[in-house]
Structure formats: C-alpha cells, structure tokens
Amino acid sequence: AVRDLGSGDSGTFEALGALADAAAATERRVVAQGHDVGFVVSVLRAWRSGGVLCPLESGQRLPEEPPPPEGTALLKRTSGTTGAPRSIRFTASQMTSDGDAIVTSMGLHPGQPNLGVISLAHSYGFANLILPLLLHGVPLYLVPSPLPEVLARCVRGCPEPALTLPAVPALWTTWLQADVIPAAVRLAISAGAPLPLALEEAVFQRHGLKLHNFLGASECGGIAYDPSSVPRTDGTLAGWPLHGVGVDSDAEGCLTVRGPAVGAGYWPEPDAPLLGGVYRARDRVELTPGGGVRLLGRAGDLINVAGRKLHPETVEAELLRHAGVRAALVLGVPEDSIRGDAVAAVVQADASVSDASLREFLAARLPAWQLPRIWHRVGRLEANTRGKISRAEWRARLSPPG
C-alpha cells in the first residue's frame, strides 16, 4: 500500500489496518500530520472511530473552534492564499466523491502507484494521493523531499516501471532544469497554479511527457482536468470538468461549481462563497463550446488605470513571449485617487535584458496605458510550496508607505 522511498518503511493494506486498530482514536477530532506512513494510519483511525479528520501541515495546530455538527467527516484548512485560513467541513459522501471523480477522470489504477512529493495534508495531495490509496487501492510511494537530488535518488531505488506524479509548476520547472524528471512517470499532473505553455512544451519536447493541467479548490475538490495527449496551445484552458462536476459562470463571469464533492460549508462561520451545495469562486471564466473551462484571472486582480480596467494576465502573457524573460508577475500598485493604480511588473529575466528593452518590446504589442510604469527585477520569482505567487503580498511590498 505505502512505501517510504527515503526511509525504506512500507506497509500493506492489512498492516495499515492493524496499526489503526491498535491505536483507536478516542478524541473527536483526529489530526493527520507529516509525510509518512503515520499520516495514512491517522486517516484510518479517524474513519474507523467515526471521528472528524483534520489534515494539518507540519507545524500547524488545531484552530480554536467549536465542535463541528454531527455528520462532519473531514475539516480542511484553506491555504490562506486569498485571505485568512479557515476551516471547511465535508461529509463522508462529499469527501469520497472527490476521490472517485479524480480516479475516474484521470484513469488512476492500482497497477500504477502515485509518487507522493506534494503535501499529504493539502487538499490537492489529500485528494490525489490519500483518497485513491485508501478508497481505490492505488499504492503510494512517498518521497521525503522535492529537492532534485532527493527525487532522483529515491526513484532510482523504486521497483515500479510506471508511476503517476502530481506536482506544481514550480517543482516541474526545477526538476526540468535539473534533468531529474523520472523516466518511469507515465502520468504527470500539474496543479496549484497556472501551468505555463512554455514549461508544458519543454517537458514534452525533452521527455515526451505530457503535463496534464488540473484545476481544483479546497472548497469543492477537483474541478477541471486536461486529458489531452499533446501540449495545449491556449494557456488559459484549465481543462474539462471532472466526472460528476458541474461548472458555470455567474452574472459577474466568475466560476460556480456544483456536484457531490462540494463542501458543506465554512466552519464555524458560514459564508456566501460556499452555501447550498454551490461553490462560488472569484476566478473569472469562459466556457468553451466544447465544454472546456478557460481561466481569465481573479476578479479582485483587475488593475484600475485611470478608470480603465486591465487584466494583469494580458501583460504577463506578452512579457513571457520575450525570449529573455523567465517569469513575470503584473499587478496594480495604488498611486492616487485620480490616476488609480500604477501598473507594476515583477520580472525574472536574463541579465542582458534591460527594463527599457522590455518596455519597448511591450510597446509594440500593447496600448500605452497598459505598459508597466514600475519595474522590479528579481533573481528568482519564488512561488510558495503550493506553486502560488501572491499578488497581494507583492502589492504590499511595492506600495508606497502610508
């Protein structure tokens, strides 16, 4: 069932069940924490005792919250990317429906183990690694660290001829640059942040491996998946709805998700984005005639340039066409009450590429009012461990004092 490729520890399904029975849970909320066999045993303890499972990242503690209502099987913690972290409650049926949709839509099966590099506690890792393991018998091979040398060393000792590897764009980029993407990987999944077309194409050209884009949210689990066998040509295309998932857009053009995996609500305070079996995201979307989901950016990321609205992705896409630009983030920085926001660009580029040359490059492709007025160069545009880059954090860093 589980093999830790770092320590060599392993356990069959029978052994995991015995460990869970030997340490029956007595507490109402059962914490699952870490990146080892113990995490899996904690999940089984919660399920077998009828407790509420609380997956937590290493170092996290249970929040001070009242006990959730009867019927709650899982309490997820949001990542806090777009606000303060909070809990989301799920029934057993909602939790298992997410795993079922992922296994069915991605074609996961017991003959092709999952390679566990991402966090088991995060919604992505829990749904793609833990639920397929315990509900569908898909073995899990744990890698203790995403560092290229650790991944390469661990996979060298892996006996399996075919593996599935879910990760985030930042990790795929690092592994590609270090040339350590395992040859045994047959299914490669990328989620947590937009997958750049250049990265998708580069992995395909060098390894013949298609990176399958995957969109999900803590509130509702998996949403859309790209099952195609060749790289996309449209970077906004997230994929097609997972099995049993219904997607639509509201009056503001933002994504709404319905289906059996949508959570029961935020806890302890309910909130409008997750009520009545519907998750209302702040992602602006367009649904293609073929049912695909195109992401057009977050509603709150619009830049107000003297009354005109600019989607930052418009400028980012053009910057990334420059051969010397490795990564780019565009955002609005408050300027004054008349002009609104100044367009700012945070750029990771070759040393030979000047700000002036980038502005000239954009000037040939965009209207003058869309050109960045603030340029900030970085040696590396760092994403967090979930592959996300926060515009809110950069806005705070670049905004003038007061």
Side-chain angles (χ1 to χ4, degrees):
V2 183
R3 182 187 299 273
D4 189 320
L5 298 179
S7 68
D9 292 342
S10 63
T12 63
F13 287 102
E14 183 179 10
L16 292 175
L19 287 171
D21 289 339
T26 56
E27 63 271 32
R28 170 78 170 121
R29 292 188 294 174
V30 180
V31 171
Q33 206 162 27
H35 196 76
D36 52 21
V37 176
F39 186 101
V40 181
V41 173
S42 296
V43 173
L44 287 173
R45 287 177 56 227
W47 289 358
R48 292 188 172 195
S49 67
V52 179
L53 176 65
C54 301
L56 295 178
E57 305 283 4
S58 297
Q60 276 188 325
R61 293 186 178 183
L62 278 173
E64 297 287 339
E65 294 174 344
E70 287 295 323
T72 302
L74 172 68
L75 278 179
K76 288 185 192 177
R77 291 292 285 171
T78 64
S79 63
T81 302
T82 57
R86 50 183 172 175
S87 296
I88 312 164
R89 63 184 190 90
F90 294 81
T91 65
S93 175
Q94 290 163 346
M95 173 177 60
T96 58
S97 291
D98 190 23
D100 294 347
I102 286 171
V103 167
T104 300
S105 301
M106 297 183 182
L108 306 184
H109 58 87
Q112 186 167 304
N114 270 312
L115 202 55
V117 179
I118 56 177
S119 166
L120 302 179
H122 183 241
S123 180
Y124 178 22
F126 185 80
N128 275 71
L129 301 174
I130 298 298
L131 294 181
L133 166 72
L134 295 179
L135 300 179
H136 296 269
V138 180
L140 174 60
Y141 286 7
L142 293 168
V143 178
S145 166
L147 290 173
E149 58 270 24
V150 177
L151 177 65
R153 182 177 69 250
C154 287
V155 176
R156 274 198 299 269
C158 179
E160 296 297 333
L163 298 166
T164 296
L165 178 52
V168 297
L171 291 178
W172 285 115
T173 299
T174 299
W175 298 334
L176 176 67
Q177 292 171 346
D179 197 24
V180 297
I181 295 177
V185 173
R186 297 293 181 270
L187 177 60
I189 303 163
S190 183
L195 173 62
L197 291 182
L199 173 60
E200 189 175 344
E201 182 65 34
V203 172
F204 190 77
Q205 290 297 328
R206 186 180 302 180
H207 297 277
L209 183 65
K210 157 70 177 178
L211 293 185
H212 295 273
N213 194 65
F214 174 44
L215 173 67
S218 299
E219 289 83 352
C220 62
I223 300 172
Y225 176 70
D226 168 28
S228 62
S229 59
V230 295
R232 298 166 301 157
T233 57
D234 179 1
T236 67
L237 181 64
W240 286 261
L242 268 66
H243 181 77
V245 174
V247 300
D248 206 341
S249 60
D250 63 16
E252 299 179 38
C254 291
L255 176 69
T256 61
V257 182
R258 292 175 171 82
V262 175
Y266 295 109
W267 182 257
E269 297 294 333
D271 200 0
L274 184 60
L275 288 175
V278 181
Y279 172 53
R280 301 164 180 85
R282 296 305 297 158
D283 298 290
R284 296 177 299 104
V285 297
E286 178 182 277
L287 304 180
T288 71
V293 180
R294 296 181 66 236
L295 290 179
L296 306 179
R298 294 190 66 82
D301 288 338
L302 281 175
I303 304 172
N304 176 17
V305 185
R308 289 182 285 190
K309 306 301 183 184
L310 172 64
H311 299 302
E313 294 84 4
T314 300
V315 185
E316 288 172 355
E318 296 303 329
L319 275 171
L320 291 171
R321 294 181 191 277
H322 192 291
V325 174
R326 304 305 169 196
L329 182 74
V330 174
L331 61 148
V333 174
E335 191 169 22
D336 57 44
S337 59
I338 297 176
R339 287 188 292 267
D341 296 331
V343 181
V346 183
V347 179
Q348 175 188 333
D350 296 343
S352 59
V353 179
S354 66
D355 293 349
S357 67
L358 288 177
R359 183 177 177 82
E360 182 179 351
F361 179 82
L362 290 180
R365 292 162 172 79
L366 297 172
W369 69 273
Q370 296 183 358
L371 302 182
R373 296 181 56 237
I374 299 171
W375 294 87
H376 185 83
R377 303 294 284 266
V378 293
R380 183 175 179 81
L381 189 54
E382 295 284 357
N384 62 24
T385 55
R386 292 171 180 169
K388 297 181 183 293
I389 301 173
S390 170
R391 282 196 177 91
E393 291 176 6
W394 273 105
R395 187 174 295 113
R397 292 174 62 176
L398 297 179
S399 296

